[in-house]
Each structure stands twice: as structure tokens, then as C-alpha cells.
Amino acid sequence: MSDSVVLYRPTGPEELALVRESGFTKWPPRLPEQPIFYPVTNEQYAVDIASDWNVKASGYGCVTRFHVRKEFMDRYEIQKVGGVNHTEWWIPAEELEELNENIVGLIEVIREFKA
């Protein structure tokens, strides 16, 4: 997968259920109040969000990992939003389906956290 980029996504139970319904092949459309899809660049940042924010909000959080074609991801700059590890991509909601079409392989759950 040398022509792909690894992305991580902290995910709560509702979003994970929709990913599961897709056969772990795509992300669900954003809600109207979610104009941006925020995958992160590293596992540690995803762990921090899943274990702190998702667990507090719903009692469950997980870290997902997936690969996207590099040619697609090269369109987006990495955004630094806090500390050294707090880096992510900002993908407009209207481009999410195109991101889904560029996923290589399956979306994997690699870490889980419960209250």
C-alpha cells in the first residue's frame, strides 16, 4: 500500500454502527451540523479523542484505521490544531463520498475504550 496514506478516526458507537452496516467500506454522510470530516494523522491523537471525548459522551469510543489513495489525500493540507500530535485533515462533507471511493481495503477497529 505504498501509494496510500494511513488515516485514523476516533469513532463513537453510532458512527461505528453505520460503518459496520457498510461492511467497513465507507464513512457515513455528515450530519448538517458537521460540515467537515476530520480524520487524524496518528494513532495517539485518535486514542486521546476516543478515550477521553467519545467515552465521556457515549460510554464507548474506538480508534479506526484506514488507507486512502495518496493521490486523493495530496489535495488536503495537514492541519495542526494543538499539541505536536494534534494533526488532522479537514475534508469538506461534500467530498466525503469521493474519499470513500478512494479507501483502499477495509476500515479497521484497532483500539476500543469503554466507560
Side-chain angles (χ1 to χ4, degrees):
M1 290 195 210
S2 61
D3 61 341
S4 67
V5 177
V6 178
L7 288 73
Y8 298 88
R9 173 111 174 126
T11 306
E14 295 86 9
E15 186 173 53
L16 183 60
L18 296 171
V19 170
R20 184 177 287 116
E21 285 178 19
S22 80
F24 292 91
T25 61
K26 65 181 183 175
W27 294 98
R30 302 288 81 202
L31 299 173
E33 67 273 11
Q34 299 172 320
I36 305 287
F37 179 71
Y38 299 96
V40 303
T41 66
N42 63 84
E43 185 176 345
Q44 185 56 56
Y45 185 29
V47 164
D48 293 346
I49 296 169
S51 63
D52 294 343
W53 300 357
N54 293 115
V55 170
K56 284 180 187 171
S58 66
Y60 174 84
C62 69
V63 174
T64 60
R65 177 177 60 204
F66 59 107
H67 297 258
V68 175
R69 288 182 185 89
K70 183 180 182 318
E71 182 178 351
F72 176 82
M73 289 307 298
D74 283 347
R75 296 172 16 185
Y76 304 95
E77 289 185 32
I78 293 175
Q79 307 293 323
K80 186 172 183 214
V81 296
V84 172
N85 290 330
H86 297 172
T87 51
E88 59 195 26
W89 290 276
W90 297 351
I91 300 173
E94 60 270 12
E95 297 173 22
L96 182 58
E97 191 55 41
E98 190 176 357
L99 176 133
N100 284 334
E101 293 168 2
N102 282 278
I103 291 176
V104 179
L106 298 176
I107 299 166
E108 307 170 88
V109 175
I110 60 170
R111 304 277 299 267
E112 293 184 288
F113 304 94
K114 297 177 182 172

